[in-house]
Amino acid sequence: MSTDTGFTYLALGDSYTIGESVPESDRFPVQTVKLLRDNGIAIKDCIIIARTGWTTDELSAGIQEAGVTGTFDVVTLLIGVNDQYRGRAVEFYKPAFTLLLERAIAFAGGHSDRVVVLSIPDWSAVPFAEGQDRQEISARIEEYNKANRKIAKKMKVHYLDITPSTLDAANDPSLVASDGLHYSGKEMAVWSKKLADILHNILQ
């Protein structure tokens, strides 16, 4: 079911937000909207600005290209894994992430309490990481997440740590999408449940 009435939700990100290798209905923003509706919150279909492979600067350019205007009742931001994958220093990520978070807050009408930052999943546990230094990947993701958590706290937005559950993929293949790299709808349902709880409190 879709609707043209109710609250508005903008989701900004990369492959994790667009739901690479899963059906549209399994994307975490789409699952979140469904959960909110099931709990009596009238909310429109989410607008997603995300693409597989996007880094912070590419998301910034993508937002510009999308030409989205106006404000939204809630905004989520999940970005950084491709900066990490390309070997960029966390010192490069910090200012780029800060700019994106400032834009997210602007999209929320200047209300930082209507923005949620999601932590970067730890892809060291998925099959794609085989043959690579999983410990190094995990350490770098943790470094990036320490940075985005600190920035989120400073800018007074909500922070949702989804990283711990993504490590369960090491022992549960059903949590991994068919490409062996991204996450299945089952894993994203875990994120959606937690996110829906936060958004429900914001919107009720």
Side-chain angles (χ1 to χ4, degrees):
M1 182 189 82
S2 65
T3 180
D4 294 322
T5 59
F7 292 114
T8 52
Y9 168 24
L10 174 66
L12 306 172
D14 50 34
S15 57
Y16 297 132
T17 300
I18 202 65
E20 179 67 23
S21 298
V22 301
E24 185 177 339
S25 59
D26 280 350
R27 295 170 176 173
F28 84 78
V30 176
Q31 290 198 60
T32 300
V33 166
K34 184 180 185 303
L35 287 170
L36 288 169
R37 287 174 181 163
D38 289 348
N39 279 282
I41 299 289
I43 184 168
K44 296 181 182 181
D45 290 348
C46 55
I47 292 177
I48 298 176
I49 302 177
R51 190 172 296 173
T52 297
W54 269 359
T55 54
T56 44
D57 50 313
E58 288 165 343
L59 171 57
S60 189
I63 292 169
Q64 204 71 26
E65 190 180 325
V68 175
T69 56
T71 57
F72 297 80
D73 293 300
V74 287
V75 182
T76 60
L77 175 63
L78 167 49
I79 192 72
V81 71
N82 295 299
D83 296 72
Q84 177 272 322
Y85 183 71
R86 295 188 199 180
R88 292 178 175 176
V90 74
E91 294 308 316
F92 175 94
Y93 172 69
K94 288 176 182 177
F97 179 81
T98 300
L99 284 172
L100 281 168
L101 189 49
E102 286 172 350
R103 294 183 82 171
I105 293 169
F107 275 126
H111 300 287
S112 59
D113 59 340
R114 290 178 171 267
V115 176
V116 182
V117 166
L118 286 82
S119 67
I120 303 167
D122 188 339
W123 60 276
S124 68
V126 301
F128 180 83
E130 191 165 343
Q132 302 183 59
D133 188 334
R134 293 180 188 264
Q135 277 192 313
E136 173 64 18
I137 293 166
S138 193
R140 293 283 288 138
I141 293 290
E142 185 178 357
E143 188 181 13
Y144 266 64
N145 280 332
K146 278 183 180 176
N148 60 40
R149 183 195 293 267
K150 188 174 181 180
I151 294 164
K153 184 178 181 181
K154 182 181 179 182
M155 297 177 74
K156 296 181 169 60
V157 303
H158 298 272
Y159 190 85
L160 175 55
D161 187 3
I162 61 170
T163 309
S165 72
T166 64
L167 290 168
D168 295 340
N171 302 307
D172 187 350
S174 72
L175 301 180
V176 183
S178 58
D179 62 5
L181 171 57
H182 296 95
Y183 297 94
S184 67
K186 181 180 177 182
E187 170 60 26
M188 284 191 279
V190 177
W191 315 348
S192 300
K193 174 67 173 68
K194 293 176 180 177
L195 178 60
D197 288 344
I198 294 171
L199 298 189
H200 189 276
N201 287 333
I202 293 171
L203 296 173
Q204 67 179 353

